[in-house]
Amino acid sequence: MPPCVYASKIRGIVVNNKIFISAGDLSGEIHAANLVREIKKINPSCRVYCAGGNNLKSVSDVFIEDIVNINAFGFLPVKQFFFLKKLLKKLETFFLTEKPDKIILTDYYGFHIFVAKLAKKLNIPVYYYISPQVWASRSGRIKKLAETVKKMFVILPFEEELYKKYGVDAVFVGNPLIDMVPVKQNFKQSFEISNPPLIGLFPGSRKSVIKRHLPVILETAKILKEKLNANFIMFSVNENLGVKLPEYISLETDNDFSKRKSIDIAVCPSGTVSLENALMGIPMSVMYKLSYFNYFLARLIVKVKYIAIANILAGKEIVPEFIQCGANPEKIAASVIEQLKPEYYAPKTKELADFRKMLGTPGVSKRTAEMILND
C-alpha cells in the first residue's frame, strides 16, 4: 500500500500520520528533536518513530533504538558494524509493518545512506535534514544521495547550489544554531576583556576525541596561567574526564550559553562548538587531532582548505587553526595571547558577530517542518 494513503489534507496542509526520523550523533539529534517538536505543533496527531539518542527519545511516540551512544562512548568499529547491520534489518521489518509516510534522516551518511536505499526500494519518500559534509571529502556521495533522497534541507548557504548541480532538490533553510545560540552581548561590551582573562576550554564530546585533545588543552592552559594568570572554564558533556583538573579550571557539564557568554576567548575543536562560538562572537583557537592512520586517510580525501566552518564560509582564516602535529600547546597558547591584544580583539569580535548574518534567519526548525509536511 503506497505511503500516501496514510496522509490527509486539513486546511490545505498535508497531515502525515506516521514519520520516522533518525540521527546518529549528539549535535544532529538535538536539531532532529527540535524538528520533531515543530512537526508536532503543526500536526499534534502525527505519530513519530525515532532512532537516535536521549533528545529524540524525549520527543518520540515510539523510540526504536539508541544509535547516538554507540558513537559517543567509543564502541569498537567492528561492534558498531554488526550493531548497525542488525538495526538496518530491524528497520526493514518496521518499514514493512508500520509503513511510515515519510522518513527524515539527519547527517550521519555512513549508516543513513543504507536507510535511504531501503526506503527508496519500499517507495517511502526520504527527506534529508542537515547534509553530511560530502563537500569536504567525498563529493561522489552526492550522486548516491541524488538517487535516494526526495529533498535535501541544507544548513550552509553554499550547499544548496552544490546539490542542485548534481540534480538534488535542495533548499537552504538556514542554520538551526541561529535559533539556539545567543549573541554574546552588545559589540561595545564584547570588546572588553576580563582582567585576568577568562578562557573557555572545549575538549570535544566523543571519548576518542577527548582522549587526544585533553592533554594538549591542559598543557595550553598551564602555559596561559603562567603568562596571563588566566582563569578557565572547561566545557564538557562528560563529568568524568579521566583526569583531575587543576584548581584554576572549573568544570561546566551543561551546555549553558549563559556561562559561555562570560568567556573572552576559547580553545576548541572544529565542528559544532567552533560554529557556536563564532555565532556568539567569541574569538578562538581551533585545534584538531586524529589518530595517525585516520589523519593519513583524511589527507588523501579531504578537499577543503580549512576545518573550521567560520573559515570555510569566509574563504579565509578568521580564526587560527592548529591541526595534528601543529596542535601543540606552545603554538596554541601563543595564538590566544596574540588574539587577546586589544588591537586584534575588537575587530575580530566584530568580524565574528557579522558572520552570524551568513547563516540565515531565525525559525529554521519551523520552516523545515512546514516544508516537509507540505511536500
Side-chain angles (χ1 to χ4, degrees):
M1 190 175 291
C4 60
V5 301
Y6 293 94
S8 58
K9 285 191 176 181
I10 298 178
R11 296 178 184 174
I13 297 177
V14 176
V15 179
N16 304 272
N17 293 329
K18 293 182 180 181
I19 290 179
F20 169 77
I21 185 166
S22 176
D25 58 56
L26 180 59
S27 59
E29 73 134 358
I30 289 173
H31 301 315
N34 287 333
L35 180 62
V36 171
R37 291 186 183 96
E38 295 299 332
I39 287 172
K40 287 282 194 176
K41 286 179 185 177
I42 298 170
N43 176 22
S45 67
C46 181
R47 190 164 176 80
V48 179
Y49 303 79
C50 298
N54 294 333
N55 291 283
L56 277 174
K57 188 174 185 178
S58 69
V59 297
S60 64
D61 294 298
V62 177
F63 188 71
I64 296 173
E65 194 69 67
D66 188 331
I67 57 176
V68 168
N69 288 324
I70 67 165
N71 292 312
F73 298 112
F75 279 33
L76 294 173
V78 173
K79 188 174 182 180
Q80 286 187 17
F81 172 80
F82 285 107
F83 174 86
L84 294 174
K85 185 177 180 181
K86 184 178 179 182
L87 175 57
L88 191 65
K89 189 66 179 176
K90 184 177 181 179
L91 290 179
E92 182 176 15
T93 302
F94 162 71
F95 293 159
L96 288 168
T97 304
E98 295 295 332
K99 299 181 175 64
D101 300 307
K102 293 180 178 180
I103 289 173
I104 305 170
L105 304 176
T106 309
D107 202 351
Y108 200 47
Y109 175 91
F111 176 65
H112 281 158
I113 190 61
F114 294 101
V115 179
K117 288 178 179 179
L118 174 61
K120 179 76 173 179
K121 184 174 72 174
L122 298 176
N123 196 32
I124 306 171
V126 174
Y127 299 83
Y128 221 116
Y129 177 50
I130 305 178
S131 160
Q133 292 183 355
V134 292
W135 42 266
S137 57
R138 303 170 187 174
S139 57
R141 290 180 168 185
I142 301 178
K143 296 177 181 178
K144 294 182 180 179
L145 290 168
E147 294 169 359
T148 55
V149 174
K150 184 177 182 184
K151 198 174 188 74
M152 178 74 71
F153 299 95
V154 298
I155 64 170
L156 297 175
F158 64 84
E159 292 178 322
E160 180 178 320
E161 183 181 350
L162 174 65
Y163 275 102
K164 285 183 174 179
K165 189 183 297 184
Y166 284 83
V168 181
D169 184 4
V171 58
F172 172 59
V173 291
N175 196 293
L177 288 175
I178 289 287
D179 293 311
M180 299 171 61
V181 179
V183 177
K184 184 182 177 185
Q185 49 200 348
N186 68 52
F187 287 147
K188 185 176 289 188
Q189 288 177 325
S190 67
F191 298 158
E192 297 173 1
I193 303 170
S194 308
N195 186 19
L198 181 59
I199 300 173
L201 306 173
F202 301 80
S205 58
R206 295 184 180 183
K207 186 177 179 180
S208 59
V209 173
I210 293 172
K211 184 177 180 180
R212 288 190 296 271
H213 287 179
L214 193 57
V216 177
I217 287 175
L218 290 177
E219 185 61 29
T220 301
K222 182 180 178 182
I223 296 169
L224 292 170
K225 185 65 179 176
E226 292 171 353
K227 294 191 174 182
L228 300 177
N229 192 31
N231 293 318
F232 305 86
I233 301 177
M234 177 80 71
F235 293 88
S236 175
V237 295
N238 299 283
E239 292 185 14
N240 183 11
L241 292 170
V243 298
K244 184 179 179 180
L245 297 178
E247 74 283 351
Y248 52 81
I249 301 178
S250 62
L251 181 63
E252 178 61 50
T253 56
D254 293 327
N255 192 14
D256 187 347
F257 288 113
S258 63
K259 290 282 181 69
R260 208 188 300 192
K261 280 183 178 182
S262 65
I263 66 175
D264 299 300
I265 196 167
V267 177
C268 64
S270 62
T272 300
V273 69
S274 72
L275 181 53
E276 290 172 346
N277 288 337
L279 288 171
M280 294 183 74
I282 299 173
M284 71 195 98
S285 294
V286 174
M287 61 166 289
Y288 207 81
K289 296 192 76 170
L290 295 165
S291 68
Y292 287 112
F293 178 70
N294 285 339
Y295 179 68
F296 173 75
L297 291 179
R299 287 290 301 269
L300 293 177
I301 63 176
V302 171
K303 298 179 180 179
V304 291
K305 185 176 180 180
Y306 303 109
I307 61 170
I309 294 294
N311 291 340
I312 291 171
L313 290 180
K316 62 180 181 178
E317 188 176 273
I318 61 175
V319 296
E321 298 181 351
F322 301 89
I323 305 170
Q324 208 62 12
C325 294
N328 70 68
E330 291 79 14
K331 289 183 178 180
I332 298 170
S335 79
V336 170
I337 293 169
E338 180 70 17
Q339 290 180 83
L340 285 173
K341 292 178 179 178
E343 65 271 20
Y344 183 100
Y345 192 80
K348 188 58 58 177
T349 303
K350 177 67 164 61
E351 186 175 20
L352 286 170
D354 289 343
F355 163 78
R356 190 181 184 99
K357 300 171 186 175
M358 300 174 64
L359 293 179
T361 56
V364 176
S365 297
K366 181 181 178 182
R367 257 193 316 276
T368 307
E370 289 172 346
M371 290 180 187
I372 292 173
L373 292 178
N374 278 299
D375 191 67

